Amino acid sequence: AVSAAEGSFTVTSDGMEMTKYPIDAGYARMVVEAAKLSPELHLQMIAAVSAMQVHGITSTKPDKDRWKYLVKNENRSDIIVQLKVFIKALGMGEDERDDYGILEQRYLKAKKYYDSIAERAGLDPGELTCPTDEDVEKLIDCIIVGSEDIFMRHGNKYRGVQGSARNPSRSTAVLTG
């Protein structure tokens, strides 16, 4: 979000918007991009990056992975998985979140981020809705804009944007589909 011209640097309007959000720069860029689309997508992206800012709210332990049942067939993006789990977790009590392998301390921290960022953006945190398939495609576009490191599945292999072979983490949701 910095523009260079004739040896000088200026912060772009997107860069200025990013400074409003107390999260990692890539996540802030995703939020700014979603804000251009609609208030619903803006809130959804805020929720998604809030969960990611705390390194995810789902357990990576094999015996604590019932959260996968909450997002069946969602294997397009770990960020989208975290968004959908976060939305479902909002309607659960602590015991139910624990039963699904949702990490309570991370969830509470993500919820705090979400409420704070939504309010900073002038949005009502209570208006969050689950994204439609069309919403997910738009959110993925926003994710790509803010990502430094993206890799995609090509058949049974994974490749970075430059074509290099990649090995995803065992905890990634993209391996489940």
Side-chain angles (χ1 to χ4, degrees), residues 70-82:
L70 300 172
V71 290
K72 285 183 182 171
N73 303 319
E74 182 56 72
N75 61 5
R76 294 170 281 189
S77 163
D78 286 327
I79 296 174
I80 298 300
V81 166
Q82 291 296 315

Side-chain angles (χ1 to χ4, degrees), residues 107-135:
Y107 163 76
L108 293 173
K109 194 170 181 182
K111 174 87 169 73
K112 218 178 230 186
Y113 270 118
Y114 170 71
D115 289 340
S116 171
I117 295 168
E119 288 170 10
R120 258 180 212 246
L123 300 168
D124 179 355
E127 296 292 315
L128 181 63
T129 59
C130 197
T132 64
D133 283 340
E134 184 179 324
D135 291 341

